[in-house]
Amino acid sequence: MRYGRTELLAIAGLNAFATLAAGQPAAQAPFVTHQLKPNVYWIEGGGGNRGVIAGDRSVIVIDAKTSAAGGKELLEDIAKITPKPVTTVIETHSDGDHINGLVSFPTGITIIAHENNKKEQDTAFAAGGRGAPPEGYLPNQLIAKNKESLKIAGEKVELLHWAPAHTSGDLVVYLPDEKIVFTGDIIAAQMPDPLIHLEKNGSSAGWIATVKGIVALNADQFVPGHGDLQTKAAIQKRLTDAEAKRAKIKELVAQGKSLDEIKTAVGDAPPAQGRGGRGPAFASYTEVVYKELTKK
């Protein structure tokens, strides 16, 4: 069977995500800083997108890159924007490519995360090994509500959690005054389908509920966890496509179709192989929906 460019890009994307989310070294794109507003930036490269908000006296960072080297380079790039110190990091979720760069950040900073993110990191830290979060940099300010409005460094920030989506501990960062949203990996723009961690209790239904909430925000710029800056129309299309695919899978499950039959029917690419041919790195969206609907 031959696969088109979209399918091959999806396979490559899943391989890259598997490597990065586990905190493993991988070829990294160079860092590039983009200005969204006079005091708001996003920095791509080094394993994904990160946000920078230059407040009145200090800097807020959204996610912290993949490695110690990436965290150091991120801080160097921030220093080119402003001499103000970094005092706060907001984590969108617990994957290693979003938190491991914290080892290069100043000690004693405020690290804000959803309470389920902290639970996931505690579990990974106790297990140890390559997937463990950096010691001394676990979240120290937890969000338990579905919506928390904060004033940080003079900046109004809304932290939103509708449901488990990419993981159980996702946080969406919304800047209402600037109409900017940082989605974390709820939106991974180079992937055709939602990317959901079953092992972190992510959910396809929760992803749909979350993206409906994101689309309803009064915003016009959306910074995804990976990929290019998104418009509201692009986010809406991704939502519509995901809902339609989930409905089709549900219909096929009701007909008694097997997972392989469903994958063929919805046009899935072959499974992405982990490093060294160790098998699929992540469950595909089709697999996630199938397992949710059949409890397998």
Side-chain angles (χ1 to χ4, degrees):
M1 182 179 294
R2 300 182 69 179
Y3 296 94
R5 183 173 181 272
T6 299
E7 288 80 7
L8 293 173
L9 283 173
I11 296 168
L14 279 171
N15 282 330
F17 272 105
T19 299
L20 292 169
Q24 298 173 6
Q28 304 290 320
F31 287 18
V32 180
T33 299
H34 305 270
Q35 187 171 21
L36 297 172
K37 298 291 181 181
N39 68 322
V40 182
Y41 305 77
W42 67 284
I43 298 179
E44 67 174 314
N49 301 326
R50 306 299 176 251
V52 177
I53 307 164
D56 53 2
R57 296 183 181 180
S58 62
V59 175
I60 307 163
V61 175
I62 301 169
D63 292 331
K65 296 295 181 182
T66 302
S67 63
K72 180 175 180 292
E73 186 172 351
L74 176 60
L75 291 174
E76 290 170 351
D77 285 351
I78 293 170
K80 296 173 185 177
I81 296 169
T82 174
K84 298 171 185 176
V86 173
T87 59
T88 305
V89 173
I90 302 171
E91 296 180 351
T92 62
H93 62 290
S94 65
D95 286 356
D97 57 323
H98 291 253
I99 67 172
N100 285 349
L102 280 169
V103 294
S104 295
F105 278 57
T107 58
I109 60 172
T110 298
I111 302 173
I112 303 173
H114 190 271
E115 61 180 3
N116 289 340
N117 175 333
K118 175 65 160 54
K119 291 175 184 176
E120 290 163 3
Q121 291 195 48
D122 286 343
T123 299
F125 189 81
R130 181 171 282 173
E135 185 173 4
Y137 289 90
L138 294 176
N140 50 38
Q141 181 174 329
L142 303 184
I143 304 300
K145 300 176 182 177
N146 288 343
K147 177 180 178 180
E148 189 83 39
S149 296
L150 304 175
K151 200 71 171 288
I152 307 172
E155 181 71 29
K156 184 178 179 181
V157 178
E158 292 186 5
L159 303 179
L160 305 165
H161 174 91
W162 286 271
H166 178 65
T167 70
S168 72
D170 299 322
L171 274 184
V172 170
V173 182
Y174 173 42
L175 307 180
D177 292 340
E178 291 85 2
K179 297 184 179 180
I180 297 171
V181 178
F182 292 87
T183 72
D185 285 2
I186 294 163
I187 305 297
Q190 72 270 51
M191 305 296 295
D193 291 331
L195 185 62
I196 295 167
H197 284 301
L198 282 176
E199 75 281 7
K200 291 185 178 182
N201 297 309
S203 160
S204 67
W207 185 94
I208 288 169
T210 295
V211 179
K212 284 181 177 178
I214 290 172
V215 168
L217 295 171
N218 182 21
D220 48 33
Q221 293 179 304
F222 300 80
V223 181
H226 300 263
D228 295 333
L229 190 68
Q230 300 289 290
T231 63
K232 182 170 288 196
I235 302 288
Q236 180 62 63
K237 184 181 186 304
R238 181 172 289 268
L239 171 62
T240 300
D241 291 348
E243 287 186 291
K245 188 167 187 176
R246 192 177 193 277
K248 180 64 175 177
I249 295 167
K250 185 175 182 179
E251 176 185 325
L252 294 168
V253 166
Q255 294 173 13
K257 300 295 185 182
S258 70
L259 176 57
D260 286 342
E261 288 173 326
I262 292 172
K263 286 181 177 180
T264 299
V266 299
D268 271 11
Q273 295 296 309
R275 288 163 61 97
R278 292 195 294 265
F282 290 125
S284 69
Y285 180 64
T286 300
E287 291 174 280
V288 169
V289 175
Y290 178 84
K291 289 177 179 181
E292 288 174 347
L293 295 175
T294 63
K295 304 301 181 184
K296 292 184 179 181

